[in-house]
Amino acid sequence: MTMTAIGLIGLGSAGVYLWRRRWIDALLVLVAAAVMAGIGGDFSLPHTAAKATLTGDGLTEAQWRDLPARPLAWTAPTSPVLRLDFPRRLTLGRMFTFTIHRDKPGAARLQLLAENKQVIAEASGSAASLSVQWLPPAAELLALRARLLDAAGKTLAEGPVPLNVVDAAPLRVQGRFAAPSFDLRVLNELLANSGALLDWQVTLGKTVTRNETAREPMAAPNLLIIDAAWFERASESARATLLAQGTPLVILGANAFEPRIWQRALQLDLKPQADGRVAGALAMPVAPFNPVAGTWTAGDGTFWTRGRIAWVGVGDWHRLAISQPRQLGMWWQGVLDAAGVKVQQEVAWEEPREMAFAGQRLELCAQGVNGDAVFPSLQQKVSWQRRLDKADASCVAVWPRQAGWLKMEGKGGETYVFDGADWPQWQAAQRRDATTRYLARTAAPAATGSTPLPAWPFALLFTLAMLALWWRERGRRSA
């Protein structure tokens, strides 16, 4: 509508000047009308965005973050790469798993070496992925090494494997038991050795109860453990109070004898079990009653879970405390994990996405931090800052000066800095992944004719045409 009005007014004005035979004035009016149409119209110049050309594996994530988004012409190389998968931070008592992913399967051997170069774990196979496991004995900073060998024993890749083993935050456990047993004593020792705070109560007789109170004031427990006999003898109100707490609950089912109570209280369908032992790494006797298929999920045939409640359907694990103590501890850890037992950490550190290198920017992010982060080796103090792309986390950025462990004062934020020659095939994989992510966030190349024309040349030309027309009218009146 605007363009039509401008055209009609321009043609009408030019027609008046033409009728009076004032050819130059008519031309000036037509120029002004055309300029106005150019300002009001959506015109553009032919344009095709130029792409930057990239060869090789690309850049790291930190390097791409410092560059603006722009179209990029890049083809990923086809040379073989490796991808390593392992936790940089591990809680003491957890199994450390190191996995190496290859592009192609083939016979190979993976070794995990201690800091003294001794092999502490080894695995072989032909699959594209190989894994080794190791249980750290103490909380400490470690710089292990991993070595990948081919079928002939030739080293295909080798490099450092940093691991920060930290002490676990102590569990707060409340135990209520109606009958003493060797199993209870072993379980008590397992939890006590892990540093847990225990509120332990065992009924020894009709009027005799053994109590073990926590070594320090204990807030609300984050784990409840009972045996089946305690639940069956408890009052309806005591059962309701226990279940209403919302705390993860582990039930030792070896002394259960009243299936109707469990069906009524927990919708747990218990069936008598034949005498026997559970097959597997830990062969333990089956409890007299165990759940059947239903809303409860079986866990390795020895325990069942439903939400935050776990039913342990085996007994006599105290016999394994001497013969297989490590496997028993790991099995109990699996039971607690299945029941959803979690200990809130004061500071939760985020795993770094990429390898950190000396001389490149290193970003550290964590939840529950504030104030300043102090790096003694760098003699720097950096303030924690919130990031829009990090939910509930704050970050700092530093530039490490040398390879090795970069320590943070007070908060336990140790980070390993790799040497530029470490794991070249893993570096290549990370660069390719980072470059692919950069391509995904860059704007699409502009199509032909997508660059709008600037308005200022039209405005200048319109002003000159109007001034010329005014000057000619003024001169004619003066004459």
Side-chain angles (χ1 to χ4, degrees):
M1 183 64 70
T2 303
M3 296 288 292
T4 302
I6 292 173
L8 291 176
I9 294 172
L11 289 176
S13 301
V16 172
Y17 282 114
L18 289 174
W19 179 67
R20 295 180 180 179
R21 298 181 181 276
R22 293 162 60 177
W23 317 112
I24 297 178
D25 295 340
L27 179 60
L28 290 173
V29 170
L30 289 175
V31 170
V35 170
M36 286 295 294
I39 294 176
D42 186 16
F43 299 106
S44 59
L45 288 171
H47 171 74
T48 302
K51 290 185 177 181
T53 302
L54 179 67
T55 59
D57 297 313
L59 305 178
T60 65
E61 181 78 14
Q63 291 170 329
W64 281 125
R65 283 186 175 274
D66 293 333
L67 297 176
R70 59 173 299 184
L72 188 67
W74 176 71
T75 301
T78 58
S79 56
V81 295
L82 298 175
R83 287 178 169 84
L84 277 54
D85 183 14
F86 63 95
R88 310 288 180 88
R89 182 181 301 268
L90 189 73
T91 303
L92 183 62
R94 297 278 186 175
M95 186 70 74
F96 173 68
T97 302
F98 176 84
T99 304
I100 191 166
H101 304 281
R102 299 177 288 165
D103 289 339
K104 297 180 180 179
R109 188 155 43 102
L110 178 62
Q111 295 179 336
L112 185 66
L113 288 72
E115 292 179 319
N116 60 1
K117 310 302 181 182
Q118 295 297 314
V119 177
I120 55 177
E122 186 171 354
S124 59
S126 299
S129 298
L130 293 176
S131 297
V132 289
Q133 289 188 322
W134 176 65
L135 187 65
E140 57 183 332
L141 286 175
L142 297 171
L144 308 174
R145 292 190 70 83
R147 181 188 299 155
L148 181 65
L149 309 170
D150 62 9
K154 179 183 177 182
T155 301
L156 300 176
E158 183 177 354
V161 179
L163 177 61
N164 184 6
V165 186
V166 298
D167 286 313
L171 274 174
R172 302 185 301 274
V173 185
Q174 186 179 82
R176 297 293 182 263
F177 310 99
S181 69
F182 290 113
D183 284 346
L184 288 185
R185 190 173 77 177
V186 167
L187 179 58
N188 182 290
E189 291 174 355
L190 281 173
L191 293 171
N193 291 338
S194 70
L197 300 177
L198 300 178
D199 177 7
W200 209 257
Q201 188 179 101
V202 183
T203 300
L204 302 177
K206 183 173 285 189
T207 59
V208 181
T209 301
R210 183 177 72 83
N211 292 304
E212 179 180 340
T213 58
R215 60 182 180 272
E216 60 185 66
M218 186 173 76
N222 44 34
L223 172 62
L224 302 175
I225 302 179
I226 62 172
D227 62 3
W230 183 92
F231 191 85
E232 291 176 353
R233 297 173 190 175
S235 63
E236 291 285 349
S237 60
R239 294 175 195 157
T241 301
L242 176 75
L243 298 175
Q245 291 186 38
T247 305
L249 172 65
V250 174
I251 305 168
L252 310 181
N255 55 10
F257 293 101
E258 296 291 340
R260 290 176 296 177
I261 293 177
W262 299 99
Q263 178 64 44
R264 186 170 63 251
L266 292 174
Q267 293 76 51
L268 178 58
D269 190 11
L270 296 180
K271 296 296 182 184
Q273 304 292 304
D275 291 339
R277 306 181 77 84
V278 177
L282 296 178
M284 293 179 278
V286 179
F289 292 90
N290 273 334
V292 296
T295 57
W296 288 66
T297 303
D300 79 3
T302 60
F303 63 90
W304 291 256
T305 59
R306 183 182 179 186
R308 61 177 180 82
I309 304 177
W311 172 277
V312 179
V314 290
D316 281 357
W317 59 75
H318 66 276
R319 301 180 185 275
L320 304 175
I322 297 176
S323 60
Q324 296 175 279
R326 175 179 296 184
Q327 291 84 344
L328 179 62
M330 297 301 297
W331 177 78
W332 262 108
Q333 186 63 62
V335 174
L336 301 183
D337 290 342
V341 179
K342 295 182 179 179
V343 181
Q344 190 67 33
Q345 299 283 349
E346 181 181 353
V347 177
W349 296 93
E350 293 191 3
E351 287 278 355
R353 174 181 275 184
E354 285 191 322
M355 306 166 71
F357 295 101
Q360 292 187 11
R361 186 180 65 180
L362 168 63
E363 186 179 77
L364 302 175
C365 297
Q367 298 180 11
V369 291
N370 52 54
D372 296 326
V374 180
F375 298 88
S377 62
L378 302 179
Q379 298 181 348
Q380 288 185 5
K381 179 186 292 186
V382 189
S383 298
W384 290 100
Q385 296 182 354
R386 298 297 299 271
R387 279 266 301 274
L388 295 177
D389 60 336
K390 300 286 186 180
D392 302 326
S394 299
C395 303
V396 293
V398 293
W399 279 257
R401 297 171 184 167
Q402 60 186 13
W405 281 104
L406 176 64
K407 297 183 180 180
M408 183 186 301
E409 191 175 277
K411 298 183 181 295
E414 296 85 359
T415 302
Y416 190 81
V417 180
F418 290 87
D419 185 84
D422 292 336
W423 296 113
Q425 291 177 303
W426 189 27
Q427 290 188 45
Q430 291 191 346
R431 289 172 182 269
R432 294 178 192 181
D433 294 342
T435 303
T436 301
R437 289 191 295 268
Y438 175 82
L439 287 173
R441 72 181 175 92
T442 56
T448 301
S450 64
T451 302
L453 289 173
W456 68 266
F458 293 93
L460 179 60
L461 187 56
F462 176 79
T463 303
L464 292 175
M466 288 293 99
L467 285 174
L469 187 61
W470 170 79
W471 179 78
R472 288 178 60 81
E473 290 286 350
R474 181 173 176 273
R476 189 172 290 106
R477 291 175 183 174
S478 300

